[in-house]
Amino acid sequence: MTQELFARYSFLLDRTARKVKQYAQQQFKQGEFEVTVDQWLVLKNLSENGLMSQTELANLVFKDHPTLTRIIDLLCKKGYVERIPHPQDRRSFQVHLTQSGLAKVAELKPKVLEIREKAWENLNETDFEEFKRILNTIYQNLDGQTIDD
Amino acid sequence: MTQELFARYSFLLDRTARKVKQYAQQQFKQGEFEVTVDQWLVLKNLSENGLMSQTELANLVFKDHPTLTRIIDLLCKKGYVERIPHPQDRRSFQVHLTQSGLAKVAELKPKVLEIREKAWENLNETDFEEFKRILNTIYQNLDGQTIDD
DNA sequence: TACCAATTGTTAGTATGACAAATATATGAA
DNA sequence: TTCATATATTTGTCATACTAACAATTGGTA
């Protein structure tokens, strides 16, 4: 029975994901990036996609609404992001980067790529494709929905 | 340049790890397991290793000391675990499962394995070995220390 | 038009995670 | 013995995740 063996994936997955986030966060802190890893994810997606409602943004970064609300709150406080009332729908906001936010993204983008690269020492592109395939298969197995890429 | 490509691993990894925990937690709730996924990890390791100090336990499950203190607090409240003063070292506790905790582990163990299995649909043992190898390589790249398994 | 279900975003509560600092105790060196 | 240092655990703070409940608004439909 390989059941016991397979069950260890959740432990290794969780441990590695935490290590990846922790490592990046430490580098962010050391480089005085002034944002968290999750805040960076939101900034990056805003810079690539422009004006978006919070719901659209939440779907893009796969975070739930309450979490996104708080991240946006923090990014607003820091002056990187603004909420604009939606012209047609008064329930909704459109979120966008400020000048300061745009500058922050431009400044951090290359630095983040460099930080992310460290994890792939001793691994190649085939490993990456395998890794992506397995991660996405697991995600789909538990999600029941189709995902892209 | 494959830098941009590689950088996506962190997003996929984080997303999948969250999905795995979320799925398990939902099943735990639906089955009225009365513990969280992280609390289960601690119970399981206690059942496999017997009496341990909190520091030993923290190293085993790769959680930091404050996090473990709080998880133990909750498990004590639920009556699954007890702190026993260490006979030689008055700074330290030895943590162990109560009768109720032992019964809980026995009850949940097969159910958890079943829940964990779901993620591996459409994947085989080779995939698992690859996955484990890549996860551990990433961990080591960012940790700088040797790990077992 | 009036109603009602669905949608958008927020708030609150609990758990976890990372990190810093505090407390109590232990240990080794002078 | 005494003091500096190390270790075990706890406490505090901030950020994130998930759930549930809520307010405001929208849109379809009777």
Side-chain angles (χ1 to χ4, degrees):
Chain A
M1 183 57 109
T2 54
Q3 220 184 14
E4 296 244 11
L5 183 70
F6 278 7
R8 270 184 65 76
Y9 78 92
S10 55
F11 172 72
L12 297 176
L13 180 58
D14 185 63
R15 182 177 75 165
T16 305
R18 274 188 288 121
K19 175 61 75 180
V20 164
K21 185 176 275 191
Q22 184 190 12
Y23 175 79
Q25 191 60 61
Q26 283 170 354
Q27 299 301 115
F28 276 33
K29 185 176 185 183
Q30 192 180 316
E32 297 180 331
F33 287 13
E34 293 179 327
V35 290
T36 66
V37 171
D38 296 284
Q39 289 163 16
W40 164 251
L41 180 66
V42 170
L43 288 180
K44 178 171 157 287
N45 276 277
L46 274 175
S47 90
E48 289 167 358
N49 296 277
L51 224 57
M52 259 185 303
S53 76
Q54 294 190 192
T55 295
E56 288 168 330
L57 194 47
N59 292 335
L60 201 57
V61 298
F62 286 81
K63 292 186 183 295
D64 59 22
H65 291 208
T67 299
L68 196 69
T69 291
R70 283 174 184 127
I71 291 176
I72 301 283
D73 285 348
L74 292 170
L75 288 174
C76 284
K77 264 190 207 160
K78 292 177 180 177
Y80 298 140
V81 150
E82 272 177 359
R83 287 184 173 99
I84 304 174
H86 190 289
Q88 275 82 48
D89 188 340
R90 286 195 294 168
R91 293 168 304 181
S92 183
F93 293 106
Q94 301 202 302
V95 180
H96 81 122
L97 291 179
T98 61
Q99 280 305 311
S100 165
L102 282 167
K104 180 57 80 174
V105 170
E107 177 204 343
L108 296 190
K109 200 162 192 172
K111 297 183 182 178
V112 174
L113 288 180
E114 212 174 307
I115 290 168
R116 293 306 195 185
E117 221 171 4
K118 170 88 174 154
W120 288 94
E121 285 174 8
N122 311 309
L123 295 167
N124 58 39
E125 286 192 47
T126 308
D127 294 327
F128 180 75
E129 292 303 323
E130 279 290 280
F131 190 56
K132 208 170 69 173
R133 175 181 64 85
I134 296 170
L135 284 176
N136 283 335
T137 304
I138 291 174
Y139 189 93
Q140 289 179 56
N141 285 342
L142 302 183
D143 192 56
Q145 294 176 33
T146 318
I147 55 171
D148 51 16
D149 201 355
Chain B
M1 183 56 107
T2 53
Q3 220 185 14
E4 296 246 10
L5 182 69
F6 278 6
R8 269 184 67 76
Y9 78 92
S10 56
F11 173 72
L12 297 176
L13 180 58
D14 187 62
R15 181 178 75 164
T16 305
R18 274 188 287 121
K19 176 60 78 179
V20 164
K21 185 178 274 192
Q22 183 189 6
Y23 173 79
Q25 191 60 62
Q26 281 170 355
Q27 300 300 114
F28 275 33
K29 185 175 185 182
Q30 193 180 313
E32 298 179 330
F33 287 12
E34 294 179 327
V35 291
T36 67
V37 171
D38 296 285
Q39 288 163 15
W40 164 251
L41 180 66
V42 170
L43 288 181
K44 177 171 156 290
N45 276 277
L46 273 176
S47 89
E48 289 169 356
N49 296 276
L51 223 58
M52 258 185 305
S53 77
Q54 293 189 193
T55 295
E56 288 168 330
L57 194 47
N59 292 335
L60 201 58
V61 299
F62 285 81
K63 294 184 182 295
D64 65 10
H65 295 192
T67 300
L68 196 70
T69 291
R70 282 161 186 139
I71 291 177
I72 300 284
D73 285 348
L74 292 170
L75 288 174
C76 284
K77 263 189 207 160
K78 291 178 180 177
Y80 299 140
V81 151
E82 271 177 359
R83 286 185 173 101
I84 304 176
H86 189 289
Q88 274 83 48
D89 188 339
R90 285 195 296 167
R91 293 169 304 181
S92 181
F93 293 107
Q94 300 202 302
V95 181
H96 80 124
L97 292 180
T98 61
Q99 279 304 314
S100 166
L102 282 167
K104 180 57 79 170
V105 170
E107 176 205 341
L108 296 190
K109 201 162 191 174
K111 297 183 182 177
V112 173
L113 288 179
E114 213 174 306
I115 289 168
R116 292 307 193 185
E117 221 171 3
K118 171 91 174 151
W120 288 93
E121 285 173 9
N122 310 309
L123 295 167
N124 58 38
E125 285 192 48
T126 308
D127 293 328
F128 180 75
E129 293 302 323
E130 280 290 280
F131 191 55
K132 208 170 70 173
R133 174 181 65 85
I134 296 169
L135 284 176
N136 283 336
T137 304
I138 291 174
Y139 188 93
Q140 289 178 57
N141 284 342
L142 302 183
D143 192 56
Q145 294 177 33
T146 317
I147 55 171
D148 51 16
D149 202 354

